[in-house]
Each structure stands twice: as C-alpha cells, then as structure tokens.
Amino acid sequence: GSSATFDIAPEEETAELLARIDRTRLPLHVAAIMDGNGRWAAARGLQRVEGHAAGVESVRDTVEGAAGLGLGALTMFAFSIENWSRPPEEVEVLMELVKRYLRLETEHLIANDIRFRPIGRLSELPADVQILLQETSEATANCQGLSLNIALNYGGRAEIVDAARRIAERAAREGRVPDFDEQTFGEYLYTRGLPDPDLLIRTSGEVRVSNFLLFQSAYTEFWTTPTLWPDFRRRHLFEAILAYQRRSRRYGGI
C-alpha cells in the first residue's frame, strides 16, 4: 500500500516501478514541463537560481531513466519565449546552466547513444549558447537511441507561426501554395520527424498547457504531480508511464 513506500529506499521503489512497466506499450514520445524550481528554492530559503541549478540533476536522472527504458523521444521545456521577462540575472544564470549542461553532458549523451536536438527560436539565443547547442547536436547526430529535445526560447504559438511563415516563403519561391494537410504541416514544425507526444508530464501541481507543443499535443495524455522539478527523478517518470499504460486512448472515437 502507499504507506509501505515510506519503508522502501528510493532505489528499491524505482526498481519495483520499472518491473511493472509493459515494455511493449511504451509511449513513443514523452514531453515534460519542468515546473517548480523557484518554489523549491523559496521553501529552502534559497535564491531562485539555486532551484534552477538543482533542477539540472533532475534532468540528468530523468534523461538516463528514459534512455535506459528505451523511450524513443523525450522533449523537455527548458526556457520559454516568455521567460525573457524574468530578472536579467535569472536569465543569465539559466543560460549559464544550459552551457554548463552541454559542456558536462555531451560525452555522457554519446556514451548512452542519446541524440540531442534543441528546438525553438534558437537564433535569438546568445551566440555562445548557439555555438554549444550546434556542437552538441553535431557530436550526437549519429546516436540511435533516445532523441532528447530541449525546448529553448520556445513557444507553441511561435512554432505554428514559424511553420506558416516557412510555408508562405516556399509558396513565394515556387509561385504556388504547396499542398499540405495536418500531416505535412507537421513537417514545418520544429519537431519534424518526431511522433506527437503520447504523454505530457507537468510537475509542481500546475495543470495547464503553457504554450507548449500546442499543435502536437491534440491527443496527448496529461499527467501532473505535486512534486517540484528539483525533486523529480526517474521513479516519477516511471509512475507517469504506468499511469499512461492504465488509460484507454480513443482519439475521439468510442
């Protein structure tokens, strides 16, 4: 029962959850909105930036858990277009954390056969961040395992607008509007080549889409947890997948 979990070490609990997952029915693509870094820090009398720093360990453990499980794709919302409105010092720390993550993790990603792909309006990021993103993408380009997509300077509406702009530019070049339907429209999105997310995880008890993967998540299953992101570990990912496997997905049918 739930009371027994207090007697189990996290590693044992994690192994027990892992054993219950049906490997033949894994979600192809899991997305995550990483919420609660600021609240985690405030609860400990720390500055918000300490929460962001602590959240990096959660990213590492969750990515390792996803790769070990054999997931095809994991998309994590790291920095939204709206986040530029935060205090400049906080934005600066977030950018430094992105750079540190890339410097420290690239070899680890290669060793775990993880392909790294940043998505968003990347050209508006600081030049040194862009260079590292490009280097990590190229270094992991031949990896065949998990596709790890980090959404940076990302907005779901901006993504749809950018796709529409690309279609308009192509129409201007070719002198005609290219044929496209919902399927081919997806090829103009940042996530082209990926299946739509089957499962979206949101931490810290928030229950909203927050402008994330708007087009792609039309039939995505949502799973929320009160756990704040810096406390999130692979066992929470496994809980989310088990919850997903208990659901019946009808896509508007009976």
Side-chain angles (χ1 to χ4, degrees):
S2 58
S3 60
T5 57
F6 295 112
D7 307 323
I8 304 175
E11 297 75 32
E12 291 175 44
E13 186 189 349
T14 304
E16 190 254 338
L17 289 166
L18 182 59
R20 284 164 48 203
I21 292 174
D22 181 349
R23 302 291 184 106
T24 66
R25 291 176 50 243
L26 290 174
L28 297 176
H29 181 181
V30 176
I33 299 176
M34 305 180 284
D35 247 344
N37 292 344
R39 272 167 281 179
W40 183 90
R44 286 160 179 74
L46 302 169
Q47 294 187 315
R48 284 178 61 86
V49 295
E50 299 284 348
H52 297 310
V56 174
E57 185 55 43
S58 306
V59 171
R60 183 179 291 121
D61 196 70
T62 303
V63 168
E64 279 186 15
L69 187 58
L71 290 185
L74 176 66
T75 301
M76 308 182 93
F77 202 178
F79 190 86
S80 74
I81 287 174
E82 294 77 21
N83 287 158
W84 293 110
S85 65
R86 292 184 175 186
E89 317 80 67
E90 186 177 344
V91 171
E92 200 173 317
V93 168
L94 284 164
M95 292 299 147
E96 286 301 322
L97 286 171
V98 169
K99 289 190 289 186
R100 190 198 304 171
Y101 177 83
L102 294 170
R103 287 195 195 101
L104 292 175
E105 292 298 304
T106 299
E107 285 184 20
H108 193 67
L109 294 173
I110 295 165
N112 285 279
D113 205 23
I114 297 168
R115 188 163 63 93
F116 177 84
R117 175 176 167 186
I119 61 170
R121 287 183 171 169
L122 306 176
S123 63
E124 295 171 4
L125 292 166
D128 54 350
V129 175
Q130 288 186 52
I131 289 165
L132 279 170
L133 289 170
Q134 181 73 21
E135 287 175 356
T136 303
S137 299
E138 288 172 2
T140 62
N142 296 322
C143 294
Q144 300 293 310
L146 177 72
S147 176
L148 172 63
N149 314 290
I150 301 291
L152 287 162
N153 194 31
Y154 175 89
R157 287 180 172 179
E159 179 178 28
I160 293 166
V161 167
D162 287 350
R165 186 181 289 125
R166 277 199 284 276
I167 291 170
E169 286 167 358
R170 183 175 162 187
R173 275 198 315 274
E174 297 178 1
R176 63 176 191 86
V177 178
D179 279 342
F180 67 92
D181 53 17
E182 289 180 17
Q183 198 71 33
T184 51
F185 187 81
E187 292 165 19
Y188 293 90
L189 297 170
Y190 307 147
T191 54
R192 61 189 166 277
L194 291 174
D196 288 342
D198 297 302
L199 173 65
L200 173 64
I201 294 168
R202 181 153 196 168
T203 57
S204 82
E206 301 294 350
V207 191
R208 56 177 174 269
V209 184
S210 290
N211 199 17
F212 187 46
L213 301 176
L214 293 180
F215 188 88
Q216 299 90 327
S217 59
Y219 283 101
T220 299
E221 295 290 329
F222 282 57
W223 185 83
T224 60
T225 174
T227 303
L228 302 175
W229 179 253
D231 294 325
F232 193 93
R233 291 295 182 270
R234 70 184 71 187
R235 69 177 180 276
H236 300 99
L237 171 68
F238 298 162
E239 279 176 22
I241 290 170
L242 284 167
Y244 164 85
Q245 291 187 338
R246 288 193 293 271
R247 296 184 192 177
S248 167
R249 303 182 76 200
R250 295 186 291 277
Y251 299 98
I254 296 171

